[in-house]
Structures are given as structure tokens and as C-alpha cells.
Amino acid sequence: MSYLGDLLSTVFERRYRKALSEKADDQTTAELCDALLSSQGDVSGVTLARSLLDRYANMTPDEKLGFFEYLATQLEIVPDDVQSTIHAYCAEKNRTTYSAFASACEPKRQELARRLNQVPGATGELVSMRKDLLKLLKARPELEPVDVDFKHLFASWFNRGFLVLRPINWESPADILEKIIAYEAVHAIDSWDDLRRRLKPDDRRCFGFFHPAMADEPLIFVEVALTKGIPNSVQALLADERVAHPAEEADTAVFYSISNCQAGLAGISFGNSLIKQVVADLSHELQGLETFVTLSPIPGLNRWMSQSGLEVQAFNTQALAAHYLMEAKRHDGMPYDPVARFHLGNGAQIHAVHAEADTSDNGRKQSNGAMVNYLYDLSQISQNHEQFVGEKSIAASDAVKTLSASVAAHA
Amino acid sequence: MSYLGDLLSTVFERRYRKALSEKADDQTTAELCDALLSSQGDVSGVTLARSLLDRYANMTPDEKLGFFEYLATQLEIVPDDVQSTIHAYCAEKNRTTYSAFASACEPKRQELARRLNQVPGATGELVSMRKDLLKLLKARPELEPVDVDFKHLFASWFNRGFLVLRPINWESPADILEKIIAYEAVHAIDSWDDLRRRLKPDDRRCFGFFHPAMADEPLIFVEVALTKGIPNSVQALLADERVAHPAEEADTAVFYSISNCQAGLAGISFGNSLIKQVVADLSHELQGLETFVTLSPIPGLNRWMSQSGLEVQAFNTQALAAHYLMEAKRHDGMPYDPVARFHLGNGAQIHAVHAEADTSDNGRKQSNGAMVNYLYDLSQISQNHEQFVGEKSIAASDAVKTLSASVAAHA
Amino acid sequence: MSYLGDLLSTVFERRYRKALSEKADDQTTAELCDALLSSQGDVSGVTLARSLLDRYANMTPDEKLGFFEYLATQLEIVPDDVQSTIHAYCAEKNRTTYSAFASACEPKRQELARRLNQVPGATGELVSMRKDLLKLLKARPELEPVDVDFKHLFASWFNRGFLVLRPINWESPADILEKIIAYEAVHAIDSWDDLRRRLKPDDRRCFGFFHPAMADEPLIFVEVALTKGIPNSVQALLADERVAHPAEEADTAVFYSISNCQAGLAGISFGNSLIKQVVADLSHELQGLETFVTLSPIPGLNRWMSQSGLEVQAFNTQALAAHYLMEAKRHDGMPYDPVARFHLGNGAQIHAVHAEADTSDNGRKQSNGAMVNYLYDLSQISQNHEQFVGEKSIAASDAVKTLSASVAAHA
Amino acid sequence: MSYLGDLLSTVFERRYRKALSEKADDQTTAELCDALLSSQGDVSGVTLARSLLDRYANMTPDEKLGFFEYLATQLEIVPDDVQSTIHAYCAEKNRTTYSAFASACEPKRQELARRLNQVPGATGELVSMRKDLLKLLKARPELEPVDVDFKHLFASWFNRGFLVLRPINWESPADILEKIIAYEAVHAIDSWDDLRRRLKPDDRRCFGFFHPAMADEPLIFVEVALTKGIPNSVQALLADERVAHPAEEADTAVFYSISNCQAGLAGISFGNSLIKQVVADLSHELQGLETFVTLSPIPGLNRWMSQSGLEVQAFNTQALAAHYLMEAKRHDGMPYDPVARFHLGNGAQIHAVHAEADTSDNGRKQSNGAMVNYLYDLSQISQNHEQFVGEKSIAASDAVKTLSASVAAHA
């Protein structure tokens, strides 16, 4: 499909776009944006959009900053128009007044993004564009409204209903697999052989969300190990020399790595949906599975301990980790640990904590080697989630609570 | 894929959704909407969305009206919030103030639609929902703002960049083909045999746009005949007994029928893109093709003649049709004929008019049997389009201009 | 794939085959066969094969007869060569002597068929060729050896390991579905609406075997109804107005029609494998299924009754049908009824017989309206099969045995 | 497809095969073969075939030898039966006598192989079986007739008409790509990065033949470089740091590596068809291509020079290579060089020879660094082929002839 598609668009380009694009080369970026926004129908729109995206791709960092400033200032709402249209709409509610108001409230940069998105491949290019923008925000907070608009658009385009779950395995295309290697954020994949060990054995799975308009780019993926019993060490789980077991014999599915792939989609959450869908898939395929659990890092543990006054020596790592996960909170009452926030927010509960579970340099550094299992119990998820969101109460096994309490008692 | 997907979702439903959906059954529609809008993450959101869509599907017309009134009044913007947030934003431009403003300007019904769209199949159901709404608007103009929001959302979701062009032929799935039979709007398809005559012969083609989230629903499709020379009769073109020619011998591609399929996507235009893409495809595949032309109805001819003072008897149908297409205008200066507006707006030109070209009852009734060829000349399209939009000038062949002038001279 | 493939081969034809095929036009069929058999490598072989197949397709019946006579006489084994090579092989067994023997034993027409099969689409054309041949055999028994060779080749090419099971449903390509309508041999499908009733409802399934080299031609297909309990009437099963049930609620899968599609593959049996594979598929997909059963015609009942001396009036149809299925035998001891031979040979057992089960004209005519359920009990299939093949004993339920005995007692 | 297929067969295995396979475990291999050959229908055949293949897979080399000896001696033709049936057939030619003859001539091991092939995956296992056999032949020439039968069967099964040409690129499944790395026989691929350099750039292509029953195993593949002009150095062609050019700008397609993948298919030639098909594909896709040429090794050059009496010092490498390709012959008059035999047999001609074209150790060793371009000129292929096969005359450019003659004149 894409192969033929490439052929066709190539021919099309040659025969049809040449004149228009030559004209585009003489225009400033602002003129091109104006032209694209005022094009009626898409006779010339596609060519303009392609020219603009190509031009953006070749911009220097300074030129990109200039482009975003143009979006922020020139394609901005006009407050007076908002005022006048909201008055008119309040006076008489009909299609015309409401359209005028809606139009006044939405900066033209949103329509520009939609029009840029007409051309094949544009969706991914727009996601990259926001990635560039995000890097500039700290130094240029005046660009924040532009980011709000991007995020708003992307939340609509990357709606769960448009995403496709695909298994990623050793039969997947190499161009996708090399991205898995690149994007793995939790436990680095150091070679194609390492990748094969995570994808090919019968007791390993991987799934990702994809968007149809970015078919070769995973948005997020999760790596799963099928085991007997709940594991307490990621090094054991990923050992080079381990022997694979038949998937049918597993009773437990372990989510040991979840990686977001697209920096340009920051703030648009897919993880919750992904885990839930994978639980559904796997529980259908392998009816021996009874337990769905993570083996997760505790990235904030050591940072928090160094900030708190706890006398660490008095407690073992396991107890400290349990205590940290149960008790360490942000100002808003939410857990201090970002991974805990994610899984507890999804309705999981803290099932067990393990010392000496990640003995890598990174594992030692962030959590003194401790890891945690978050348990996804479908019958409890909804209730856990509500209580977490509502009362900020954290679901945990009795064992974890007891461990945590042992620290609290002495602290 | 969809087969396995069905299995999975079925299992998933059974194990996970039961408790939640039972709870949903006890709630009012407004309560469900509130719950969906306030759900954080999508743990319960998917279930709520499914419940709400199921409930809508089973509503009586009165209940649907009630639902839309709820959207119009309860999930409406709050003008005071718009006022206060625009003031705050003008005072200080940052992420917080702009987010507050953007949120105040967008009625909650838009977010509701996005959240409903989380579940598989929802996109099509939402398109149907707007179809229901459109029928109510004449009697209930106060619902127009709701439609403006639907249209705004759909324009973003059905952006050209997300559409897929697929050939529709005799190897296409029957469930799509039965929709082609149902949706054909120009020259009715009266049986599967008739359909086969339009799809199977080597000198016939059909293409449609599809959206990935509505994979078995064409959005728009165009039927094409490959011919030697430009045809002047649709009955000859579609004759049951005609002999097919090898596609390779054709020099002309004739677009003889374009049908929009989704009433719920009214106002979101795909036709221009479709024709252009099909021209590109065909010109690549069949390098003998030199001419891309329509054989189009003239739906407004007789209506206009009965309104105008023209003494029809004095002129032949062909000349009258040319005159009508060139000269009959709406108040805004655009052509009176809707099909002419579409093709001229795409940058086509009027190439030829033919009497006795559609001898069906409908053809006689609407245009006294006359039809027209609009020519898509890639080298002229952009210029034609700009002149049409800018100066409202109509591109036409000398022959058509001469014919039209013959009437003008005597009128 | 096939679309692009067509393009490519078309271009290839034009540029490469022209000279060779013009040369081919001047040769006799025998010369073409000689040339194809002596071509080394396939530089010219593909062109010769295509020319020969095209020529065959355009032959009159008499010319086809001539072609088969040529195969029978000119591309025949040479007995003296068989004699001399078997002697040489017995004298010294090595690659050379055995190759010479194998070559002498195989008529050149087999190699001709393999070389014809080089070109795309040839497999189907060769199957059609045998179909033509089969029609001639009664009048021309001297052609039987040619048919033996065809059958031998096809048994190798259409080996179970090369066949693909595909579900056939309302999403299948129309060009395959129109063949289902054409090939249905048991209960005729009278329209596309009728076809949809058999494919689209949730409680209906259809599966076929396909060969990769004849991808749009089913070889055999079976239609399945999912029911609660075992049905006793095909009219009830296929009633237009019946209400479909959710597939998940079914406890029984009923094979109510099995149709072979390719006359040219006569004698190469697929039915046994098909049923077994479908049982496996369905039992995986729908875990509520407990019973796999047919609702089968009894095509030989009335013919046999008119031949036997049974005083029919004394017995009811049901008892007579049971008696016939249990007791009516050919000279070789096998059941007289062809459908019974098929299912009993597969290891099924006679489960129940029903009067008034097929009230169509054909049903009345062949079996006075009686039908039979053959039960596929996976735990018994192997044993049933062995006893049927070995001892010619027929597995049946007690109820059927009792019914049958009631006739025997009085006969 | 394969994913669901796996599920299904797994379930099927569990429920249906258990009893039969347990029984199989108690039988000798000969008993299993007997049982498989005498099974009627495939009720038990599939299980027996699976058991036999599993048993073979676990055999020691000695046991495999024993198995092949069993095939050679116990499943051998019976000469007396051949004699009696050929007599009977000569006496009266009909279906019965011919079938008896055909049956007597074909050793039962052929039918055994066909029955083994019933189970999914068997085709590849049978190809591996022959690979094992081939290794034994030198020491055990009495097994040669078994190999003749294998080869005969495979020639029928792997007929050109059943093969599928597939592009192999950076979007291909990793499990196929790792085989490309493993099977590359001409210019080794030393890493995934190296592989990507051969597959991903716009001016690189790779194509392979696949058989539907061995879908993840290439049979043969060819690597292609798209260039401007004909290259004279493989190191330059494959340089890590080279810059890719747009495919559209190329005028030449260079076949620089052709690798057979399946040792078990030795003697069954795919290369000719592959090259021809790839020429057709590429010439359609890229209409700027004018020249199709190889950059081939000359593997026999140095071996031959050390055997011949030529005083090498007197000539340069280029002239010697030309002379060798034109004049060095086997006893049968065919070229001494195996690669030359292949390409000249396909109808190519010797276009140019280059010194310092392969400066790798292997290139130096086999041909003193010389390489050759064989030209595939579609208008000459057929004539070249016929003259090569018939008169053993070698087509070459004038330049090559002159070079060769310069050596001959002095030799």
C-alpha cells in the first residue's frame, strides 16, 4: 500500500506541484501561512502545506523560534473580537452568532495546523514540531499558549478511539523494531540480540499503540514477561541465559517496562488504556493467566530519602521503600513517586516491594536497588481508582502496609 | 484483525464491564454525562462512554431531542467565564490564563464527544448522532450551536491527512459493496448485477475515501469509466450490453458519478481531494490517459428556466444548457447550479454540453436530458480555481462560450 | 499485491514477450509442446507456456480432443525404455540408473503440465483442462491414462499442507461470494439476500479451503449454523424470517451443506480435512460448543427403496431411513448412500434421522423428506473410522439402531 | 493469521491428538511409516505425520542414516511389479492397468513424503530432511535414488507457478531479515547496520522468492544497487560512507549478489526466474532504468590459471579474466566458471571485466580482484540463450572479445 502510494504521490508531485511550489519558494513563511489559511478548497492547499512543512524542516533553531513567535503573536486571538462575538451570541443564539464566537475564540494557528495536516506524513511532522516547541518553553514562556493549542489539537487527533493496538514481536518490521530499541526508557536494550530476547521467546510479549497516520511510529509500548509467580528481580527476569517457558504454563503477566515514544505528545496519556487493553488481550489468549502485575522502578526513593529526615540506617531498604510509596506525598496530597502516581491512578494497588530487585547502576542510584509490584486486579480497579482520586487513599496489600507501618512507628 | 478484536472485546466486556454498566443503568443520562466528563483517566470512562452510546441508540426521537437540548443548554459555555478569562488572559499571557480561557470558550459538549469517542465504533455512532441532529435543526434552530460544535470536531477528525483512498472493485468486501448500492446518489444501481457492471470490467473503476475508525463505511466515492474520447450520453456509457475495452487503450477517464455517503458529515468537503487523488492514481497507472473529465448532471437547469423569462422554444437544449451554466447566478455571484459550483470551485472548466445525454425520467425532469463535461486539466486547475474564487469568472471552452453567447444574443 | 502484480506483468509482457509469442503463433500445438519440453531454464519457457495455455483456451471441443489424444499417444511412456531402464537399475543402483528409470516411467505429459504451470494463473487453467478431459472419458476411455497423470499431479500440488482455510463471510470479496452462490450444491442459494442470510448473522459461519495459486477460487466450502440443540429441519434452519441468536449462546455447530467447487479436482478429497479443521476452529472460538453434527441429505434413499423389495407402506419414513443408512450396502460392503460413505469414512456416527426434515421438491424426491444428523465426536472419530474401514461396521446411536431394527424385524 | 492459526492448532492438539500420539510413541519408525501409508482419509494421518516428523527431528545422525536406509530399501520399487504392470498395460491400456503401472513405478517413499506434508510446517521440515540426506550421499551412494525422489517431488512443489516474489526491505519482518544476514553467500553482511545500508537507502533493493508453505523462509534472494552507469568495484558500491541517490535518477540496476538459501532445494533452480522477474518489476517502477547488469565474482579464475599453462605475468588481470571467461571450458564444452554458466545460460552476455573490482581477501584469492558485468539485454536474451545452449557460443561485447583475443594471440 504505502509502496504504491509512494509511487503515486511521486508522479503526482512531478506533474502537478511543480509550478505551485516554485511560486511558494519566493514567499516568506508568513505569506505562505496566510496563503494556506486563505486557500479555499484544497487545490493549492496541499502544495502550500507541503512547502511550509518542508521549509520548517530546514529551519535553523533561531528560525524555528521565529516561527513559533509568529504563531504566538500573529495567529493569536483578538480579544475585542471575543468580546463582541460573545455579546452578540448572548443577544441572539443561532448558527451565525455562535460560529462567529467559536471562530473568534480559536486562534488561527489551530486552523493552520489542521491545514498543514492535509498532506501525507504531516501528522508526525506536527508532533515533531511540538517537540521543538516544548524545548523552548522554559526560556520563552510567552509561547505557552501555542503549546496549549497544540496539545488541545493532539488530544483530539490521538483520541483513544483512533489508536490501534498492535503486538510487536520478532516478526514486526525492522524499522519499527529499531524504534523500540531507541525508545526503551526503563531497561535499556543494548543490541538486536537483546531485543530478540525480549520479543521472540514464547513467554515474552510486547504491545504498542499506533496511530493510522503515523503507522511506523509507536506512541507507547509495554513489555511483558509471562511467568509462574510474581518476580522480584528484573535482572533475573531479563537474564541472557534464562530458559524460556511455554506461554501456556504461565499464571502471571508482568509489565516490566512501559515507554512513551513521542516527546511531542507529552501530556496526552496512553498508558492507562494500553495496560487495560493488554490485560484484556492476554487474558483472552492465555486462559491460565490469573495475575497481572508490574515490576516497576521506584525512581524517587533515594531523592526523597535524602530530602527527608529519616534515619535510614535503622531500616532495611524494603521497609523504607514501602514506607516511601505509602507515605511520601507532594503538596497536593498525591504520591511523591511519579510511577506510583501513574499506576495508582490507573486503579492498581501496591502489592509487594523487593530489595535487591534492580542491581544495575541506575537501580542502585535511584532506589538502592528496590522495586515494586503494582497489581492490576480487574475486580478492584474501579474502586481503587475512585478512592485514589477522591480520597487520595492508596490501595496496598497487608504486607506492604505492615512494612510501611514498621517504619512509621520508628520515624 | 477485527475478527480477533471482536473476540477480545467480547471477553473483555464480560470480565470487566459488567459491574460498572449495571451501575450505569441506574443513572439518568445527565448523570452519565457528568460522570463521563468528570472521570479521570479512562478506567471507568470507556464503560461510561459505551453505556451512553448504547442508551442513545435506544432513544425515541423525543428522547433524542431531549438529549440535544441538554447538550445545548447544560453543556453550554458560560458567558461570564468567557469574559473573566479573556480579561485575565489579556492581563497576563501564560499557560494558566490561556488554558482557562480556552476551556471557558469550548462548551463541555465537545469534550463529551471526545470522551464518547474512546470506545471502538464510536466515531461512526457520533456521525449518526449528528445526522439525527441535522433533521431537527429546521424545527429547533436553538440547537444550531450544537451542530456547529459537531461540525468543528468532525472537520478536525476527518482531516484529509487521516483519510485513506481505497479502490472499490469486484474484489471488495460485500458489506462495503452493499453500501455503494445504497449510497449511489446520481445514477441508481438497481442490483448486484448492475453493480458488477460498474466495478468488474477492465474499463471501469471506483474509488472511495475511508476513515480508519470507520473502516467499513465509505465517506464518498467516485465512479469512473475509461473511454476513447469524451462521452456524450450516460445511457450509452452504462448500457447493459456494452462491450468492455482494455483499460490500456483508453485515452480518457470519465467521472460519471460522485456520491457523498454520510449525512452526518454534511458540510465537510471531500470531493475535491478525492477527484484530485484519483486523477493522480489513474494517470500513474494508465499512461495512455490524456483527458480527465466528468459527465455530470445539470440539476438546476429546468428549475431555473421555469423561473427565468427565457423563451425556451427559440433555443435548443444544448445552447440553453451552455447559457445556464455560464450565466445563471445566485445573489452572491456564484453559479446557480450546485454541481457547477462544485467542479468550477475545484478548478475544472466547462468543456462541452450535450443534449439527449441523460434520457432517464430524472434526466428529462431536471435538465431536459442535457448533461455537461467538466474538464480537469492539471495545468489549468490552479489558475481556474483562483479566478473562479477571486473574480467569479467561469472557465469554459470556446465552443461552450459560443453556444452560450448565441442565447445571450437573442435573450 | 495482485493489483501491482497485474501492472507489472502487463508491462513485462509488452516489452519482453512480443517477439517470442509472434514466433509461437506460427507453430503447431505439437511443436509448441516440444519447444516447451526442450526449453532449458525458463527464458523462453514462460512465453511458450503462456502461448500454449492461450491456444488451449481458444480450442474448439474437437481441437481439445485432439490435444488430449496427442498427450495420450505422443507424450506417452515408451515401454521398451521402461524395460531397459529397470534392468539397468536392477543391475546397478545409483543416481544415473534410477533417474533414467524414473524418467522412463513418467510420461512427458506430466513434465509438460509442470512447465505449463510456470505462468501466473496456470494452476487454475490446468484444473479446468482436466475438467474438459473428464467429460470426454466416457466416450474416449483411451484417454484414461492422461487423467491418471493429471490426478497424480494434482494430488501432489493440492496436498493438505498447501491449502489455506479461510472464513467466508459478509466481509469477503464479492468475486468469491458469487462463486459460493454458483457452487452451492446442497441447498441452492437463490440471491445475494439469501447469501447474506447464510453469512452475516452472528450464528452463521462458512469456511473454505483455498490454494495460494488459485486465491480467488474456493476448492470446497462448508456452511455452518450455530444452534441450541440439534436441528431436525433444514427449512426451519434456513427460514427467511428467523431471528439470529448470539453465537455465544450456541451449544451445537451444524454442518448443513458441504460443496466441492472444482470439477477438475474430482477424486482429490478435501472434505474430511475441512470438517476437522472447522471443528477445531469453532471449538476454540466458541467455548460453549459441545456438539458438532451435520444435517445431511439422504440422496440415495428413494432410489434404493424402489430397487429393494421392501414393502414401504408398512413403515414410517424415519424408520426406513434409519434402516437404509444402517443396512443398504454396495457390492463392496460399503454403504449405498454416498453422503453416508463420506461422513462414516471420516469417523462420524449416525446420530438421528428425521422425517419431514427437507420438504423441498428435491428433498421429497430423493428421500421422502428425510434427513440425518451425523455426529462428529472427537473422542470417537478415530475408533469409528478404523472400524468402518476395517470391519465395515457402522457407528450409530442406540435410537437409530432400534429404529433400523424395527424395520429389519419386519422385512 | 499465523497467530490465530497457532492458537487454533494448539487447542486442537490438546483435545484431539493426545490419545493418538501416545499410541504413536510406542511404535517403531517403520511401524509409523506403515501406519501413515495405510491410513485412509486423514483422520489419523495428520497425527501420524506429526509424530513421525517430531521423531525425525530428534534423531541422532545414525538414526537419520537408518531412516534413509529404510526409505531406500523398504520403501523401494519392486522390479517384478514394474515388469508385470508394464506388460499388463501394454496388453490393454486403461485406467486400471495404467494406475497399477504408475503405482508400481513410484516408490512408496514418495507417497510417504506427500503424507508427511499434510501438517502445517511440514514442507520446511522435508526440505531440511533432504539437506541431511545430501550430506550423507558421498559416503552412502546407495541412498542416491532417495534423493532423486526428493528432488522430483520438490521440483513439482516448488514449481515457478507456486512461488511468490516479495521485496525485502527495512520494513520487512526481523525474522526474515536475520535470515538474509545468515544466508548472504557472496558479500557477507556483518551486522544489522550493514544490512540496513543494503536495504534502506532509496537506491538499494532486495527481492526474494518465497513459497506459501514456508512463508518466513526466503528460497533465494538478489540484492540490487541502482546506479548511474555500470560500476566496476564492489567495495565502492558497498562503501559505508557512500551517499544514497534518489532511485529516480538511476539509469542502471546492478545485481551484485544472488544467494540460494535452502541447501535442501539444491538442483532446483530459481535464479533465472528471479532475475527476470526483478528486471520486469524494476523496469516498471523506475522508468529511467535502461541497463540491467550484474557485478559478479569470477570464482574459478585463479584455480583455472594455476591449472593451465598460461604464463600469467605477461598479461594483465583484466585481459586474463576476459580470456578465461571466453575460453576456459569444461569437458562438455560449457564454461569452466560456474557463475558464467549461470548467467550465460540465462541469456546474459559478458559486458565488461574489471581489475581491482573486489579487493577483499576472498576477491584477491579467487580472481586476483577481478569481477565481471553480465548484461541482461531483454531484446537479446532469448537469442543468446539459444546460441549458448545449442552452439555453446558465448555472447560478449566487442571490448571483452578484443581483450580475450589479446591473450589468445600470445598464448
Side-chain angles (χ1 to χ4, degrees), chain A residues 145-174:
Chain A
V146 179
D147 183 53
V148 170
D149 285 323
F150 266 115
K151 188 177 165 191
H152 183 266
L153 262 184
F154 290 172
S156 190
W157 287 355
F158 290 88
N159 193 296
R160 171 67 188 93
F162 298 142
L163 304 186
V164 179
L165 182 78
R166 286 163 57 184
I168 296 168
N169 53 41
W170 194 237
E171 297 168 31
S172 296

Side-chain angles (χ1 to χ4, degrees), chain B residues 275-349:
Chain B
I275 290 176
K276 202 174 52 181
Q277 187 70 43
V278 169
V279 168
D281 276 39
L282 287 175
S283 62
H284 174 74
E285 182 197 337
L286 298 166
Q287 295 175 5
L289 291 180
E290 290 164 5
T291 307
F292 296 88
V293 78
T294 74
L295 182 60
S296 299
I298 313 177
L301 176 58
N302 281 0
R303 195 170 54 232
W304 172 79
M305 291 212 298
S306 73
Q307 292 166 1
S308 74
L310 262 186
E311 296 202 20
V312 174
Q313 303 87 320
F315 307 102
N316 63 32
T317 299
Q318 190 188 23
L320 277 171
H323 182 70
Y324 161 75
L325 291 168
M326 295 295 292
E327 303 297 340
K329 301 287 169 68
R330 297 194 306 196
H331 292 303
D332 61 1
M334 283 303 190
Y336 180 87
D337 196 82
V339 174
R341 282 198 303 276
F342 173 72
H343 290 296
L344 296 172
N346 292 345
Q349 63 171 297

Side-chain angles (χ1 to χ4, degrees), chain B residues 31-317:
Chain B
E31 283 168 346
L32 277 179
C33 291
D34 272 355
L36 179 55
L37 283 168
S38 63
S39 68
Q40 302 210 8
D42 63 346
V43 174
S44 52
V46 169
T47 306
L48 289 165
R50 186 69 267 159
S51 296
L52 206 43
L53 288 168
D54 289 348
R55 182 173 296 196
Y56 179 82
N58 291 313
M59 282 184 185
T60 64
D62 274 358
E63 288 170 334
K64 287 182 177 178
L65 177 57
F67 176 68
F68 292 124
E69 285 171 343
Y70 167 79
L71 296 183
T73 56
Q74 303 304 307
L75 302 185
E76 171 63 318
I77 53 164
V78 178
D80 287 351
D81 291 352
V82 175
Q83 296 278 10
S84 60
T85 56
I86 186 71
H87 285 305
Y89 179 56
C90 289
E92 185 181 350
K93 297 199 173 190
N94 61 31
R95 176 180 296 275
T96 308
T97 55
Y98 184 63
S99 292
F101 167 70
S103 181
C105 290
E106 193 188 80
K108 286 214 172 75
R109 56 191 174 242
Q110 282 201 32
E111 180 62 17
L112 184 75
R114 282 193 292 267
R115 294 193 174 201
L116 285 171
N117 195 42
Q118 291 175 81
V119 294
T123 311
E125 296 177 65
L126 289 165
V127 169
S128 291
M129 198 181 276
R130 183 176 174 228
K131 182 179 168 188
D132 295 338
L133 173 62
L134 287 169
K135 291 181 196 155
L136 297 169
L137 287 186
K138 195 160 257 178
R140 300 284 183 163
E142 71 271 23
L143 299 177
E144 282 175 355
V146 179
D147 183 52
V148 170
D149 286 321
F150 267 115
K151 190 177 165 190
H152 183 265
L153 262 184
F154 290 173
S156 188
W157 289 354
F158 291 87
N159 193 294
R160 172 65 189 92
F162 299 141
L163 304 187
V164 179
L165 183 77
R166 284 162 57 184
I168 296 167
N169 54 41
W170 194 238
E171 296 168 31
S172 296
D175 64 339
I176 287 177
L177 295 186
E178 68 179 346
K179 285 163 190 164
I180 297 299
I181 295 178
Y183 293 142
E184 158 69 58
V186 186
H187 305 289
I189 299 173
D190 58 29
S191 67
W192 283 85
D193 283 344
D194 196 11
L195 178 68
R196 180 167 40 189
R197 280 193 296 270
R198 300 212 195 171
L199 298 183
K200 200 176 182 189
D202 195 37
D203 58 355
R204 293 298 150 101
R205 299 295 157 93
C206 182
F207 298 88
F209 269 144
F210 292 78
H211 189 279
M214 292 171 64
D216 56 358
E217 276 287 347
L219 306 183
I220 187 174
F221 63 92
V222 60
E223 296 167 72
V224 186
L226 304 174
T227 61
K228 288 192 190 182
I230 296 176
N232 60 11
S233 157
V234 72
Q235 274 76 31
L237 203 70
L238 298 182
D240 287 8
E241 69 278 11
R242 74 174 195 89
V243 176
H245 294 91
E248 297 188 340
E249 296 177 4
D251 56 20
T252 303
V254 184
F255 302 90
Y256 66 89
S257 178
I258 302 173
S259 300
N260 281 293
C261 305
Q262 307 296 329
L265 294 175
I268 298 162
S269 173
F270 310 115
N272 181 351
S273 298
L274 178 65
I275 290 176
K276 202 174 52 181
Q277 187 70 43
V278 169
V279 168
D281 276 39
L282 287 175
S283 62
H284 174 74
E285 182 197 337
L286 298 166
Q287 295 175 5
L289 291 180
E290 290 164 5
T291 307
F292 296 88
V293 78
T294 74
L295 182 60
S296 299
I298 313 177
L301 176 58
N302 281 0
R303 195 170 54 232
W304 172 79
M305 291 212 298
S306 73
Q307 292 166 1
S308 74
L310 262 186
E311 296 202 20
V312 174
Q313 303 87 320
F315 307 102
N316 63 32
T317 299

Side-chain angles (χ1 to χ4, degrees), chain B residues 3 10 170 178 196 248 285, chain C residues 3 10 178 196 248 285:
Chain B
Y3 173 65
T10 303
W170 194 238
E178 68 179 346
R196 180 167 40 189
E248 297 188 340
E285 182 197 337
Chain C
Y3 173 66
T10 304
E178 69 178 347
R196 180 168 39 188
E248 298 190 340
E285 181 197 339

